[in-house]
Amino acid sequence: MRVRAGVLLGVLGTALVGCGVQPTGVIGAGEPATGLTRGVRLYFASDAGLRSVPVLDREVTDLNSVVKLLAAGPPPAERRDGLTNLVDIGGYTVTGRGTGVTVRLEEPYPGSGRDQGTGQLVCSLARAQSVLDPKVRADDVRVTLVPPEGPGLGPYRCAEFLDR
C-alpha cells in the first residue's frame, strides 16, 4: 500500500512540476480596462425609453455645455437608430455642487417633470456632474428645475426615468 501511495505521489509531483508552465514575476499591463462607462454621456429619447450616447469628440468642462450638447441633438448615426432630443428650454443657468444640480430657467418649463425630455436633462446632468466631481456617483445626483415663476420641479434622480 505504501509503495502505491509513493508511486502515485511521485507521478503527481512529476506532472505538476513538468507541466510546462514556468513561474513569472509581476507583469505591468498599464491602466485597468475601463469599458464604455467612463466619461460624459448624453441621454436621448427613443420609443424604448432613454438611451445614453458617449461624448467622444468634445471635452465637457461645465454643466451648461451639457445642455448645449443636448440641444444639438443626437449624432447622425444615433438619429438613424431612432434617437431624438425632447429637451426644449430657452435660457438657463446650470450649477452643480456635490450631489445637487440646479437648472435655473428663464422661461416656463414646457415639460411635466415626468416626461422623457426631463429625463434626458436629469440623466445627462447627473452623469456630467459625476464626471466633473469624481467623488460624486451619478446615482446620487439630484437635479432640480427652477422656472422663473412658480414652484421648482424635482429634485429628480436619473433612476426615476430609466426602464420606464
Side-chain angles (χ1 to χ4, degrees):
M1 187 68 154
R2 288 185 184 192
V3 173
R4 281 188 196 172
V7 171
L8 181 60
L9 187 58
V11 170
L12 288 175
T14 303
L16 289 175
V17 172
C19 69
V21 176
Q22 300 297 316
T24 62
V26 176
I27 298 173
E31 295 294 316
T34 59
L36 294 176
T37 60
R38 288 185 90 182
V40 174
R41 297 180 78 79
L42 300 178
Y43 288 77
F44 292 102
S46 75
D47 291 340
L50 295 179
R51 287 190 19 211
S52 67
V53 174
V55 176
L56 301 174
D57 58 345
R58 296 200 176 116
E59 183 178 348
V60 175
T61 57
D62 62 69
L63 296 174
N64 287 300
S65 63
V66 171
V67 180
K68 287 179 187 174
L69 289 171
L70 274 175
E78 281 75 12
R79 283 187 190 149
R80 286 190 294 275
D81 285 344
L83 297 185
T84 189
N85 174 37
L86 299 176
V87 174
D88 182 25
I89 58 176
Y92 56 85
T93 303
V94 186
T95 56
R97 183 177 200 148
T99 59
V101 172
T102 303
V103 181
R104 296 197 183 283
L105 303 166
E106 295 176 9
E107 299 173 11
Y109 186 68
S112 67
R114 295 292 178 188
D115 55 285
Q116 279 195 24
T118 302
Q120 281 183 253
L121 197 56
V122 168
C123 290
S124 297
L125 289 171
R127 180 58 179 244
Q129 179 66 6
S130 72
V131 170
L132 294 171
D133 184 349
K135 295 177 286 193
V136 173
R137 290 178 357 116
D139 292 339
D140 296 333
V141 175
R142 297 180 184 280
V143 178
T144 303
L145 307 173
V146 182
E149 296 178 11
L153 300 170
Y156 300 115
R157 289 179 46 242
C158 180
E160 297 174 49
F161 298 94
L162 298 178
D163 299 326
R164 297 174 82 186

